[in-house]
Each structure stands twice: as C-alpha cells, then as structure tokens.
C-alpha cells in the first residue's frame, strides 16, 4: 500500500518533518523542503463613540498579513461583531445583537458592524504591509467599540 519513495523522481533525500513540494526547476520536479510556518499576531484597539469618521492605520502585525480576523464589541451593551478579510480585500462580517444576527457579505464590505438600532460604528478595511487600515463611519452619537485583531501570514 502507498507509493514507494524509490518510485518517485525526487531531487534530494528525505528529512524527518519535511514535506514533498513541486519544484519545476529540480530534477524530477519534486523536492523535500521544510514546511513554512504560519505567522500570527494579535493586537487590540478602541474606537470611542465621539470620534469623527476617519481611516485609522492599525499597525503591529510585524509582517504583511494575508488575512485578519476581527472581534469587536460595544463596551456597554451586548452587541458583538466578527469580521474577516483576506489579501484580496474580501470582507465578511457577522453582527450579533440581542435578537438580530446579521451576516454582511462582500457587498457591504463591513469588517466591524456594531449597532444598537439608533447608534452605530462600522468599519471597512484594507490589509497593509504591517496591519490594516480601518475606515470608520458612525451614525448618530456612535458607540464605543473595543476590538481584537488576529493577523495571519
């Protein structure tokens, strides 16, 4: 059962923990190589209700992220939002309120959506070389939003 290594055209000898990769320039087109590590970093932030609409450059990833996951909540109520973005700037978010979960797809492009029905803070985003640019818009008096960003590289 299985394919014997001797039957493969691999350019180097196997090493424990390595994976078999395609390398078009190598003899046989296959090479044993170390698996790349996934980079990750967590940062936090707060957006106060009184802050005007603006774009904020959130930095601190330490690398150019390929994706980010954002969890946000209002500091005084039970509203929460989860947002997702990849390096193609595809945004998705799920807003959970007391009784009204809402899913926002790429059409709305909201990474963060916190609303109590009359006051809201929302943000769209774009990944940068060291984090994410969050473009914030508030309605009415806004809400104070606390958030955590998980960057993945």
């Amino acid at each position: 059962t299985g394919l014997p290594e001797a039957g493969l055209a691999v350019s180097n000898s196997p090493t424990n923990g390595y994976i078999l990769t395609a390398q078009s320039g190598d003899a046989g087109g296959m090479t044993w190589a170390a698996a790349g590590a996934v980079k990750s970093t967590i940062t936090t932030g707060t957006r106060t209700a009184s802050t005007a609409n603006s774009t904020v450059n959130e930095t601190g990833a330490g690398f150019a992220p390929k994706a980010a996951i954002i969890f946000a909540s209002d500091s005084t109520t039970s509203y929460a939002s989860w947002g997702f973005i990849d390096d193609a700037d595809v945004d998705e978010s799920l807003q959970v309120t007391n009784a009204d979960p809402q899913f926002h797809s790429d059409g709305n492009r909201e990474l963060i959506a916190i609303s109590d029905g009359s006051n809201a803070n929302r943000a769209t985003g774009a990944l940068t070389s060291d984090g994410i640019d969050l473009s914030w818009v508030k309605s009415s008096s806004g809400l104070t939003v606390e958030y955590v960003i998980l960057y993945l590289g």
Side-chain angles (χ1 to χ4, degrees):
T1 64
L3 181 64
E5 185 180 347
L8 297 174
V10 180
S11 66
N12 60 349
S13 298
T15 301
N16 288 339
Y18 277 37
I19 59 173
L20 196 55
T21 62
Q23 301 292 327
S24 61
D26 291 344
M30 305 288 287
T31 299
W32 289 104
V38 174
K39 297 177 185 175
S40 65
T41 300
I42 295 175
T43 62
T44 62
T46 300
R47 181 73 175 184
T48 59
S50 61
T51 306
N53 297 347
S54 65
T55 297
V56 177
N57 181 252
E58 293 287 350
T59 60
F63 55 90
K66 295 186 181 299
I69 301 170
I70 301 174
F71 172 75
S73 67
D74 173 57
S75 61
T76 59
T77 63
S78 57
Y79 303 103
S81 176
W82 289 264
F84 313 89
I85 186 171
D86 66 12
D87 56 1
D89 288 335
V90 174
D91 303 0
E92 307 286 346
S93 71
L94 174 65
Q95 177 187 8
V96 180
T97 63
N98 290 337
D100 185 23
Q102 300 175 18
F103 179 74
H104 298 283
S105 178
D106 191 50
N108 290 335
R109 299 190 54 83
E110 294 175 343
L111 280 173
I112 299 172
I114 302 289
S115 173
D116 66 4
S118 58
N119 302 299
N121 268 12
R122 303 181 188 288
T124 58
L127 295 173
T128 65
S129 62
D130 187 37
I132 190 170
D133 284 340
L134 292 175
S135 297
W136 290 92
V137 175
K138 73 173 183 171
S139 62
S140 193
S141 61
L143 298 167
T144 296
V145 177
E146 297 171 343
Y147 52 94
V148 176
I149 305 170
L150 169 61
Y151 296 105
L152 301 169

